[in-house]
Amino acid sequence: MMLEMEHLSVRFCQGQQAVTAVHDFNLKMDEGEVVGIVGESGSGKSVTAHTLMGLLRRSQVEVSGSIRFQGVDLLTLSRQALREYQGKELSIIFQEPMTSLNPTMTIGAQVEESLRIHTRLGREERRRRALEAMALAGLSNPQALYRCYPHQLSGGMRQRVMIAAALVLRPRLLLADEPTTALDVTIQAQILDTLRDINRKEGTAILFISHDLGVVKSLCQRVVVMRRGVIVESGSVEQVFYHPQQGYTKALIAARPARKKLMGGVEHG
Amino acid sequence: MVKTLAKRMGLLLLTLLLVTVLAFLAFSIIPGDPTSSILGVDATPEQVAVLREQLGLDLPIWQRYWNWLSQAFAGDLGTSYNFRMPVGQLMAPKMSATLLLAALSFVLIVVISIPLGILSARHAGGWLDRVVTVADQVTMSIPNFVVGIALTYLFGLVLRWFEPGSYTSATRDLAEQLRYLIFPALAVALPRSAMTVKMLRGSILSEMGQDYIRTAYSKGNSQSSVLWRHVLRNAMIPVVTFLAMAIADIVAGSIVVEQVFAVPGLGQLLISSIGNRDYPVVQAIVVLVAAVVVVCNFAADLLYRVMDPRLKGR
Amino acid sequence: MSGVKKRINWYFAAGGVLTTLTVAYILLGMVWTPYDPGALSAADRGAPPSLAHPFGCDHMGRDIFSRTLQGAGTTLTIALAVLVIGCVAGLVLGALCGYYGGVVDGAVMRLCDAVAAFPSILLALVVIAVIGPGKYNIIAALGVLFIPSFARLVRGEFVKYRDRDFVQAARLMGVSHGRIIFVHILPNTWPVLLSGLAIGFNNAVLAEASMSYLGIGVSPQEASLGQMLSEAQSYMLTTPWTMFFPALVVVVLILGVSLLGEGLRERMGDGL
């Protein structure tokens, strides 16, 4: 097993109050697997991903359970040791491609940033690998884009830049936190294709988080349904979609605007 | 880019011209004739007429403006009524003291406020941040000249680190000048530094909350490399603009603070010229400050464009 | 969230207490001073603070407490008058420019930008050079110079609101422009205007104090804080209280209002 999350619970502490965002979450993933987490907004799916990625401020959250990645419990690592995984073994792309890139840094610098942090490669080699990653992420003219700034790119292109930056070190696991929610439907389909390609070519495992069942169904092999911080149901895509066991999952499937989705109704999480 | 700059430049020159017109008009419509303050009340009408002709006061106003402007462009800012010498010659030695003071103040502001702002933002909510925030709010509320008086008292009279009033334009040695000017410069710089600290802190904190910071952390950046490589570049954009715009206020602050420390600069000249109704001098100083303002705004604009790629080519 | 709430209270409370204290102090000074602020007393020359003279006496034996009472009153009167002129004229100008836009708006705003870019103390000095010193001239000079900053502030708000749905709706319903400006849009600008007023007040106090320090302020017969400080400077080694108390009054006056303004901005939601 590449990833084993066991009894993961996350509580946000604000002064005297504490809110449980995720409770007793369990998930196992193999190398190269594509797994989806589905749930409505506030179900704890993003918090799970951010916890796995080590992005939550340790002073503000209480985390219990374990996240074993390639045999190492990430939750027991020091901040510094955790950084060795971030961007190298584990990468993440976010929902907001418009704001997730640094406005004053060139695309090239942002794509190769993980290389600069984690390797001792020279400038030319970094550039070569960045261009390669950009091509892998489906950017058609990496050479020209290398010197551009984010504001010169469309939302879809920025999301591809994010993907390129996440993939530049060929991580074992890519977390995709609603990566297509903010994009329109055609672009959404293209990005999903790109992710599928990457999974096939590079063998990168993908943990795909979405509120959109259709998207998860088309991309993932297994799916976890979450509600209010708890796993409601999990299993293979076929099992969950065609033979849902839980009322909530059924309701979720029923509530989906079947087929009309493609007509352009973009939902927001 | 070049086109925009040319346009901005043109606009700024136009502003400057407008200032000269306004200044000229203002000093031309003042009731009372400069001749009476030069010659005294018991001058004969003939004397007055001769002087009026000498000063060019008999010409129509637009012609006087044109003469003044063309001469100003040639470097001749007119003759002081009071000192009977060319304004340029009168101003030159004073200008160096004021400009030195303003420049030193600017350097101090940068040196004081940028580290403090960063430190305060880094430890936001902690005790250090609280101390800085409170000190900041108080410092901001102290007028320049009051800071100056307090510094004179503490460092000049009690600790005797410098001798108040010992600065003269004859003090040739730059090091010696700077050693004296550091205190008035502090007086000019402290309130403005407080504002800058506050602004930088706010700017850093608001950048820290941006989505791209999360991205930076996800790549394995440490806290300090997120700060230095990502946050500061973006957080400095508004601060640099603010600083460039503040130069005009720094010059004004210097003019007031000069009085506190008896620095014979433009401030003293301005105050005495206002008292003596020596309008060519006042006018020249106003135009000089206007030029500083205009150039600084232009520089601020330029810097803003250089620092923020989103504005490049616009 | 609880942390933020605490801070609002803190700024507001501190600002409120300081401002209330200074205003009470100044109001007291307007009806009563322990001594005649101008009265000389040879016996009390340079007297240190005591029960009879809580702030001590200056080199001419004048009671500092009485003089700061009077001086702070003068400063406050001037600052308030300046604010009234600047705010009312700026409000009208900014509202009209922001609401109607067009060429006039462009020209007026250019002019405002130019004036606002100048240090106001310097401009005020020049205006005083032209029209002569005195309390009313200072009010006029500073008042006029404060118009642009208010005009820009109000204009910005009006531009923000003029195309909002509620304004459009009012227009469609046939509400007159004047009513839209004053009844529909103006109330929305209060939060921004109020914090602008706090900043403006402090700038006015600062300008008045600086000018009277430079000796280009109110007439020398009337006590003013700046002038007291200027005189105290020559004697501050021997009688530091002549410097300390007027300075304290100026600082507390400005600090109180700036804390209030800060509290206001926090409440409005942008911490900057």
Side-chain angles (χ1 to χ4, degrees):
Chain A
M1 280 290 145
M2 174 190 67
L3 176 73
E4 288 170 283
M5 296 164 94
E6 283 177 337
H7 309 299
L8 181 72
S9 291
V10 183
R11 282 156 62 82
F12 284 93
C13 313
Q14 271 173 352
Q16 300 296 318
Q17 288 177 316
V19 182
T20 303
V22 176
H23 182 69
D24 198 20
F25 183 90
N26 295 283
L27 177 71
K28 288 185 179 164
M29 269 180 89
D30 261 328
E31 301 267 346
E33 221 183 342
V34 183
V35 176
I37 302 182
V38 196
E40 57 200 3
S41 50
S43 60
K45 54 193 191 316
S46 283
V47 174
T48 308
H50 289 199
T51 311
L52 170 54
M53 199 62 214
L55 290 179
L56 299 179
R57 288 241 177 129
R58 290 187 175 185
S59 56
Q60 288 164 2
V61 289
E62 252 173 50
V63 183
S64 61
S66 67
I67 302 177
R68 301 181 72 81
F69 181 78
Q70 294 175 335
V72 180
D73 187 354
L74 298 181
L75 293 179
T76 60
L77 293 180
S78 69
R79 249 193 189 156
Q80 203 179 345
L82 185 64
R83 285 210 299 273
E84 287 302 312
Y85 287 85
Q86 293 172 325
K88 192 176 175 191
E89 305 287 336
L90 291 165
S91 281
I92 186 165
I93 54 178
F94 298 101
Q95 182 176 351
E96 306 85 4
M98 304 310 273
T99 51
S100 290
L101 292 167
N102 186 334
T104 56
M105 249 169 115
T106 61
I107 299 299
Q110 299 193 59
V111 172
E112 62 183 44
E113 189 172 13
S114 295
L115 291 171
R116 200 183 43 69
I117 296 166
H118 295 288
T119 70
R120 291 177 183 279
L121 297 176
R123 184 184 282 259
E124 270 315 303
E125 179 62 13
R126 285 208 306 257
R127 184 186 150 90
R128 198 186 60 73
R129 291 213 192 175
L131 293 175
E132 212 177 275
M134 286 161 81
L136 180 66
L139 288 163
S140 52
N141 193 356
Q143 300 274 357
L145 290 176
Y146 190 84
R147 298 212 163 281
C148 285
Y149 285 93
H151 72 276
Q152 296 165 299
L153 275 58
S154 67
M157 284 165 91
R158 289 191 214 184
Q159 194 60 289
R160 289 182 188 280
V161 170
M162 283 295 290
I163 295 174
L167 289 177
V168 74
L169 270 165
R170 301 296 186 276
R172 301 314 313 148
L173 175 61
L174 175 68
L175 307 179
D177 184 6
E178 304 236 18
T180 57
T181 306
L183 305 171
D184 62 51
V185 181
T186 27
I187 310 287
Q188 182 172 337
Q190 291 168 11
I191 299 269
L192 291 176
D193 279 342
T194 303
L195 288 176
R196 217 172 273 129
D197 278 357
I198 288 163
N199 172 250
R200 221 180 30 235
K201 277 192 224 155
E202 305 291 328
T204 312
I206 299 176
L207 183 57
F208 192 92
I209 289 153
S210 179
H211 65 276
D212 187 335
L213 291 161
V215 170
V216 169
K217 197 172 131 192
S218 75
L219 188 71
C220 306
Q221 293 136 22
R222 283 196 299 127
V223 63
V224 174
V225 181
M226 281 184 85
R227 186 194 190 192
R228 294 187 189 158
V230 184
I231 294 180
V232 176
E233 187 161 3
S234 65
S236 74
V237 169
E238 287 76 23
Q239 206 181 330
V240 172
F241 276 86
Y242 299 111
H243 311 285
Q245 298 301 305
Q246 297 296 323
Y248 179 69
T249 315
K250 286 177 191 163
L252 212 59
I253 295 169
R256 195 166 64 91
R259 300 294 160 219
K260 280 184 207 146
K261 187 81 208 66
L262 289 172
M263 303 305 286
V266 178
E267 296 165 36
H268 288 278
Chain B
M1 177 92 180
V2 174
K3 202 176 150 196
T4 334
L5 286 186
K7 204 172 135 196
R8 305 276 321 178
M9 192 98 129
L11 202 64
L12 291 174
L13 285 178
L14 202 70
T15 315
L16 196 51
L17 208 65
L18 192 72
V19 171
T20 62
V21 172
L22 286 177
F24 197 87
L25 270 179
F27 292 116
S28 306
I29 55 164
I30 324 158
D33 204 308
T35 51
S36 57
S37 56
I38 297 172
L39 296 172
V41 275
D42 37 83
T44 62
E46 290 77 29
Q47 278 178 306
V48 171
V50 169
L51 187 66
R52 281 182 68 87
E53 210 188 313
Q54 254 180 22
L55 297 173
L57 292 175
D58 52 338
L59 298 169
I61 183 158
W62 60 269
Q63 208 166 345
R64 269 157 52 203
Y65 174 70
W66 177 249
N67 286 347
W68 178 82
L69 190 69
S70 50
Q71 280 168 0
F73 261 105
D76 177 9
L77 291 163
T79 309
S80 157
Y81 294 160
N82 194 39
F83 297 96
R84 297 295 182 100
M85 66 192 275
V87 173
Q89 232 174 70
L90 192 65
M91 277 169 64
K94 317 249 177 197
M95 207 155 81
S96 68
T98 301
L99 291 185
L100 194 61
L101 175 55
L104 194 59
S105 309
F106 187 79
V107 171
L108 280 178
I109 291 173
V110 172
V111 169
I112 294 169
S113 61
I114 289 182
L116 267 184
I118 294 173
L119 210 64
S120 183
R122 250 194 115 147
H123 301 279
W127 64 269
L128 186 89
D129 178 42
R130 274 181 212 167
V131 170
V132 171
T133 306
V134 170
D136 224 44
Q137 202 71 35
V138 174
T139 312
M140 239 184 288
S141 305
I142 311 179
N144 282 327
F145 71 94
V146 175
V147 180
I149 295 173
L151 290 176
T152 310
Y153 180 71
L154 184 63
F155 294 109
L157 301 179
V158 177
L159 296 173
R160 297 196 166 277
W161 288 7
F162 75 105
E163 192 188 327
S166 66
Y167 185 95
T168 59
S169 42
T171 317
R172 284 270 173 264
D173 185 7
L174 187 68
E176 206 175 311
Q177 284 188 35
L178 288 177
R179 202 176 311 137
Y180 187 88
L181 287 181
I182 192 93
F183 296 98
L186 260 179
V188 177
L190 280 178
R192 184 58 61 175
S193 303
M195 290 179 217
T196 315
V197 166
K198 190 175 164 144
M199 194 175 172
L200 180 58
R201 176 186 179 275
S203 183
I204 291 177
L205 288 182
S206 95
E207 288 300 324
M208 294 272 224
Q210 300 291 318
D211 288 338
Y212 71 84
I213 298 303
R214 195 175 57 187
T215 309
Y217 277 116
S218 80
K219 289 174 178 170
N221 273 299
S222 65
Q223 220 170 357
S224 62
S225 71
V226 167
L227 181 74
W228 293 102
R229 299 190 64 93
H230 290 272
V231 176
L232 277 186
R233 171 94 198 244
N234 289 289
M236 283 307 284
I237 294 172
V239 176
V240 166
T241 316
F242 172 77
L243 281 176
M245 302 271 239
I247 292 180
D249 278 324
I250 294 169
V251 172
S254 307
I255 282 175
V256 178
V257 168
E258 273 173 17
Q259 298 296 108
V260 182
F261 290 87
V263 174
L266 283 185
Q268 278 195 345
L269 185 63
L270 180 68
I271 305 296
S272 70
S273 301
I274 289 174
N276 297 329
R277 310 202 134 207
D278 194 347
Y279 297 123
V281 180
V282 179
Q283 198 171 7
I285 295 177
V286 170
V287 172
L288 178 79
V289 175
V292 171
V293 169
V294 166
V295 170
C296 290
N297 281 347
F298 185 64
D301 204 50
L302 208 68
L303 270 172
Y304 198 64
R305 272 156 210 285
V306 169
M307 289 184 71
D308 192 340
R310 280 163 292 190
L311 291 174
K312 254 181 208 157
R314 270 195 216 164
Chain C
M1 285 298 112
S2 60
V4 175
K5 273 221 172 95
K6 229 178 257 166
R7 250 169 73 196
I8 292 178
N9 288 343
W10 191 85
Y11 275 128
F12 247 93
V17 168
L18 286 181
T19 309
T20 312
L21 275 177
T22 36
V23 168
Y25 175 82
I26 288 166
L27 288 180
L28 171 76
M30 287 180 176
V31 292
W32 175 81
T33 53
Y35 299 87
D36 175 359
L40 312 176
S41 157
D44 291 322
R45 272 184 200 164
S50 62
L51 276 180
H53 300 283
F55 290 0
C57 287
D58 68 7
H59 63 286
M60 287 159 86
R62 293 175 295 193
D63 180 51
I64 307 259
F65 184 59
S66 305
R67 286 177 70 73
T68 52
L69 280 171
Q70 193 190 35
T74 312
T75 302
L76 185 75
T77 319
I78 292 179
L80 288 181
V82 165
L83 271 198
V84 169
I85 296 175
C87 184
V88 170
L91 196 76
V92 172
L93 202 62
L96 293 179
C97 283
Y99 185 73
Y100 290 107
V103 184
V104 178
D105 171 40
V108 171
M109 282 305 131
R110 263 300 95 65
L111 193 67
C112 284
D113 284 345
V115 176
F118 273 87
S120 53
I121 291 178
L122 203 68
L123 277 187
L125 283 180
V126 172
V127 175
I128 293 304
V130 173
I131 62 178
K135 192 167 169 177
Y136 296 103
N137 285 355
I138 288 183
I139 292 175
L142 286 176
V144 170
L145 292 175
F146 274 53
I147 294 173
S149 57
F150 283 107
R152 291 204 306 178
L153 203 67
V154 174
R155 179 187 175 271
E157 287 292 289
F158 267 77
V159 167
K160 198 167 92 190
Y161 286 110
R162 73 176 166 207
D163 294 324
R164 290 280 173 89
D165 290 341
F166 70 93
V167 177
Q168 305 266 25
R171 243 178 246 145
L172 286 175
M173 277 155 47
V175 179
S176 71
H177 289 308
R179 204 177 149 76
I180 292 180
I181 291 176
F182 290 105
V183 179
H184 291 259
I185 303 185
L186 194 60
N188 292 298
T189 67
W190 278 122
V192 172
L193 199 63
L194 272 180
S195 77
L197 273 175
I199 295 171
F201 177 84
N202 285 345
N203 285 338
V205 170
L206 216 69
E208 192 278 331
S210 303
M211 282 164 77
S212 61
Y213 173 78
L214 294 175
I216 309 182
V218 295
S219 63
Q221 283 83 27
E222 219 173 326
S224 75
L225 297 171
Q227 185 208 334
M228 289 173 76
L229 283 165
S230 152
E231 283 171 16
Q233 223 188 319
S234 323
Y235 303 94
M236 64 186 170
L237 190 60
T238 48
T239 59
W241 50 89
T242 57
M243 165 195 93
F244 179 75
F245 290 104
L248 187 71
V249 173
V250 176
V251 172
V252 170
L253 188 61
I254 297 178
L255 184 61
V257 176
S258 85
L259 286 174
L260 274 183
E262 198 59 35
L264 203 72
R265 263 192 301 285
E266 291 257 313
R267 180 174 282 183
M268 272 160 34
D270 66 334
L272 286 180

